[in-house]
Amino acid sequence: MITIETLKQRSLDKMGNVQTIVQEKVWKMIEQSYTEGIFVQISSGHRTHEEQARLYGQGRPDYYWNGKRYGHSGNIVTYATPGKSNHHSGRAVDFFLVSSDGRKALWTVNQDWRKVADIAKSLGFQWGGDWSSFKDYAHLEWPEKSQDVRDLQTKLRRLGYEPGPIDGLYGPRTKQAVITFQHQEGLEVDGSAGPLTKNRLNARTYPGNPIYFGAKGSVVKRIQRAVGIADDGHFGPLTEAAVCTFQQQHRLEVDGVVGPRTWRKMFGNRHPS
């Protein structure tokens, strides 16, 4: 039977210069799968732009990049052009299974394959088999951690969605919050926070603190317009009563306070900014 050490060495030869955290998690995935009697290898890791061009060219015979023809016959295996793949940053790897003696590659997406994907996801990877459009069953990706993602998570939470911890990682809970937001807003539902989603999110973002009796300013005027009263910018008794009526009509907690859920209902896709 093939050893863990052999699986790791073969994988190391294919991964190249991936991020340290990715390599550490891959080792754990191989080890945990091995205890289940499943033998996993990595087929690809870090890629140059030229390597990505060759992959993108498969199934696109007329594809040229930087003046050179990279297109060739075969089945399409990726939709990421050079410079657009997460393999460039060392955050992504592709895997496959091998027979117990290590001599045969196994590419059937069966129960064992999905078990490996579940193990990888439990370690923090995102799996291409979960993608809603083009499914890449061999693909594992470590979430990007950035201030932009933290900002996205903060805005989603202010609107009453549940993106998980504000940690800068675009993980499953953040993606689901984006999907819920896109569905609510009538946007294309793909789980990706692209320009259209970000622009809509910026327009809808809750100010961060509840707006209630005594508040003044442009935000109050916006609320008044949403509930159909004169926009004098002063949150007085009339505004409070109108907010209560709005909440009652939309089956929200009736407290006269514009918190995240009331704000989201006021300024959803049926209420342009």
Side-chain angles (χ1 to χ4, degrees), residues 91-252:
R91 291 197 295 112
V93 295
D94 293 342
F95 75 94
F96 66 104
L97 309 187
V98 298
S99 57
S100 59
D101 61 6
R103 295 179 180 178
K104 184 179 179 181
L106 307 174
W107 291 96
T108 302
V109 182
N110 55 15
Q111 183 176 354
D112 284 348
W113 191 289
R114 293 181 182 277
K115 177 63 176 178
V116 173
D118 287 340
I119 291 172
K121 289 194 288 185
S122 74
L123 293 168
F125 281 110
Q126 296 171 347
W127 181 43
D130 289 331
W131 293 347
S132 58
S133 52
F134 174 76
K135 292 186 180 295
D136 190 346
Y137 292 103
H139 185 84
L140 298 173
E141 185 174 303
W142 190 251
E144 184 177 11
K145 187 172 185 176
S146 70
Q147 185 58 48
D148 286 345
V149 176
R150 288 190 184 92
D151 292 342
L152 173 72
Q153 292 168 329
T154 299
K155 290 173 180 177
L156 286 165
R157 178 170 291 178
R158 286 180 176 177
L159 279 170
Y161 296 93
E162 298 296 337
I166 310 300
D167 57 5
L169 292 174
Y170 200 93
R173 292 178 67 184
T174 300
K175 182 176 180 180
Q176 184 56 52
V178 169
I179 288 172
T180 304
F181 174 77
Q182 290 172 328
H183 180 75
Q184 175 74 17
E185 291 291 318
L187 299 168
E188 179 184 0
V189 179
D190 60 5
S192 176
L196 290 177
T197 296
K198 287 182 178 178
N199 287 342
R200 184 67 62 81
L201 186 60
N202 289 336
R204 307 301 185 216
T205 295
Y206 176 61
N209 295 305
I211 303 101
Y212 50 86
F213 190 91
K216 297 179 180 180
S218 59
V219 172
V220 176
K221 287 186 176 183
R222 189 176 176 192
I223 291 169
Q224 290 169 326
R225 288 194 293 269
V227 296
I229 63 173
D231 57 342
D232 62 4
H234 177 69
F235 202 123
L238 184 60
T239 302
E240 186 177 55
V243 168
C244 287
T245 300
F246 179 91
Q247 291 171 326
Q248 186 176 32
Q249 290 172 342
H250 293 87
R251 298 182 180 180
L252 299 166

